[in-house]
Amino acid sequence: MRKILSTLATAFVTTALLGSGHVAAQTENPFKCQPGEKYVMNVMVSGVEYWFPVYEMFKQAGQQFGCETAYTGTPEYDVTKQIASFDQALAQNPAGILVHPMNSDPFVEPINRAVDQGVAVVTFAADSPNSKRTSFITSDNLAEGTYAADAVAEAMDGKGEYAVLENPGQDNHDKRVAAFIARMEAKWPDMKLVGRAASNQDPAKAYQAVLSLIQANPDLGAVFMPEANSAIGAAQASKENGGKVRVMLADVNENILDMIKAGDIFGSVNPNQGMQGYMGFMLLWMAAHPELIDPMNDYARSGDNAMAVPFVDNGFSIVTAENADDFYWDDYLKRRGTKGIEE
C-alpha cells in the first residue's frame, strides 16, 4: 500500500507539472523539500482520534518529499483557541499549513494573513470558502448524509420517526445533517423528523438529548449525528430504553467500532482519512510551489495561485460490524510501526 500510494503521488504531481519542462531541465528532481522546509497540520479538539490517520498519511507524504511535518492544534472545542494555535504555528514560518477550520468565517482573517505572509494554506474536512486558502479536500458531506438517510430509512421499511443531533456552525457537520434531512424529505416521505438537538460533540449532552427525545417521542426509531463523540452518549440512551433507536453517525473511533460490533450502534459513514491527509499534503506542497507550472489561464493577471485546485474528494467508507476491524487506530499504527502524532 505504501509503495502504491508513493507511486500514485509521484504520478499525480508529475502529471500536474508537465508544463514546466524548462524547470525540469534545470534540476533533476524539483519534487523535494529544501532543508528545514516544514509543513504543519492544525486542528481543534486535537485529541480526537479522527485526526490521527489524517496526520499519519500527511506525515508519510512529507517524508517522501524530504519535508518536516508537525501536528498542532488545541484540545478544546473552541474556535478562539484554535485560531491562537494556528497563529502559533504560523509564527514558526512554515512553508504551508493544512487546517481544519472549526468555523468558516472566524478563520478568514487568520488564513488570509498567512497567505499574505507567503505561507500556503489548504483546508480539509471543513472549509473557509471566503478565505484565500488555495484548495479544499474533504469527503462529499452531502453524499455521506444522503447515504446515511437511505440506510436508516431502508432499515425502518421507509416509515417511522427520526431525530438529529448537530453542531451548528461547523461547516462539514452542517452539510451532513442538512443532506440527511433533505434526503428523508425527498425520498422517504413517511419518515418524520420529530426533533433536533445541539450536542456539540459532547457525549453527556447527546445522552440527555436522546433521553428527552425518547420521552417526548416513544416511537422514535433512529437518530443521526454528524460525528462520533455524540454517538457514545446517544447509544447509551438507546440501550437503556431497549435499544430500539438506531444510532447512525459519521466518523469512527475505538469505542464506536466496539459498539458497532456489539450491535449498540447501527453504523457509520467514515471519510477516507488517510487519503485526506496524503492528498492534503500534496495540495499544500503544490500551493507552496506554484512557480513549477505555467498554465494557460489568467493566474498571472488575477494573482491567483497557479496550483489552485478548488476541491478534491477523498472518498468515504461505510463501516458496519462486518468491516469494523479494518478501522482500529492502534492496530493500524502497530502494523505501520510508527509513533503516530508524536512524530
Side-chain angles (χ1 to χ4, degrees):
M1 179 60 75
R2 297 183 196 179
K3 182 176 180 181
I4 293 172
L5 287 173
S6 176
T7 302
L8 286 173
T10 301
F12 173 79
V13 175
T14 301
T15 301
L17 305 178
L18 280 177
S20 57
H22 63 286
V23 175
Q26 296 172 7
T27 177
E28 182 178 348
N29 177 20
F31 311 125
K32 63 181 179 180
C33 282
Q34 298 299 314
E37 188 172 339
K38 185 175 184 178
Y39 294 84
V40 176
M41 179 172 145
N42 182 265
V43 299
M44 87 305 188
V45 197
S46 56
V48 169
E49 189 177 303
Y50 176 92
W51 311 123
F52 301 170
V54 180
Y55 181 69
E56 182 68 12
M57 296 303 291
F58 177 86
K59 176 180 61 179
Q60 175 172 318
Q63 291 171 343
Q64 291 171 341
F65 273 65
C67 310
E68 298 178 14
T69 61
Y71 179 77
T72 68
T74 178
E76 290 89 6
Y77 188 77
D78 185 316
V79 67
T80 301
K81 291 183 178 179
Q82 188 192 358
I83 289 174
S85 71
F86 180 92
D87 287 340
Q88 289 171 357
L90 180 59
Q92 300 175 21
N93 196 34
I97 302 176
L98 181 70
V99 61
H100 172 90
M102 177 177 163
N103 299 123
S104 300
D105 291 342
F107 259 94
V108 170
E109 188 280 330
I111 290 174
N112 289 354
R113 180 159 35 85
V115 173
D116 289 344
Q117 292 178 19
V119 177
V121 178
V122 168
T123 54
F124 76 101
D127 194 16
S128 181
N130 295 322
S131 72
K132 294 180 180 179
R133 59 89 171 128
T134 303
S135 301
F136 172 43
I137 181 167
T138 189
S139 52
D140 187 335
N141 300 139
L142 301 182
E144 290 171 339
T146 297
Y147 177 85
D150 285 346
V152 168
E154 289 168 2
M156 297 174 63
D157 296 323
K159 297 181 179 181
E161 298 179 347
Y162 73 95
V164 296
L165 303 182
E166 50 194 328
N167 307 292
Q170 185 165 326
D171 176 66
N172 58 328
H173 290 183
D174 289 343
K175 288 178 179 177
R176 288 169 178 166
V177 170
F180 184 91
I181 295 172
R183 182 65 165 185
M184 287 295 196
E185 292 175 346
K187 185 177 180 180
W188 307 100
D190 293 326
M191 294 293 296
K192 180 182 179 183
L193 175 63
V194 296
R196 302 175 71 154
S199 56
N200 297 114
Q201 303 196 67
D202 186 329
K205 289 182 180 179
Y207 172 78
Q208 292 297 332
V210 174
L211 284 181
S212 297
L213 287 164
I214 292 172
Q215 185 176 10
N217 306 278
D219 294 327
L220 184 67
V223 60
F224 172 71
M225 58 229 62
E227 39 76 33
N229 282 355
S230 294
I232 296 173
Q236 183 61 34
S238 175
K239 188 173 183 179
E240 291 177 4
N241 286 270
K244 65 178 182 178
V245 179
R246 297 166 180 83
V247 176
M248 185 70 182
L249 66 142
D251 306 340
V252 297
N253 57 40
E254 183 175 355
N255 287 338
I256 295 297
L257 294 169
D258 289 345
M259 296 172 86
I260 289 174
K261 291 173 67 174
D264 296 329
I265 286 179
F266 178 70
S268 177
V269 288
N270 190 59
N272 190 334
Q273 297 134 293
M275 291 310 295
Q276 194 170 90
Y278 196 91
M279 298 310 296
F281 177 90
M282 302 297 287
L283 291 168
L284 191 60
W285 192 89
M286 289 165 58
H289 295 275
E291 73 282 356
L292 292 179
I293 67 170
D294 182 18
M296 191 181 69
N297 60 36
D298 66 342
Y299 77 94
R301 183 187 305 274
S302 67
D304 292 340
N305 191 310
M307 291 288 199
V309 180
F311 171 72
V312 172
D313 184 345
N314 54 251
F316 64 90
S317 299
I318 310 307
V319 183
T320 66
E322 287 70 29
N323 66 351
D325 284 336
D326 296 329
F327 295 86
Y328 280 91
W329 166 248
D330 287 345
D331 292 345
Y332 172 70
L333 201 61
K334 183 178 180 180
R335 172 168 63 81
R336 289 180 55 78
T338 72
K339 298 180 181 178
I341 62 172
E342 301 304 322
E343 293 181 337

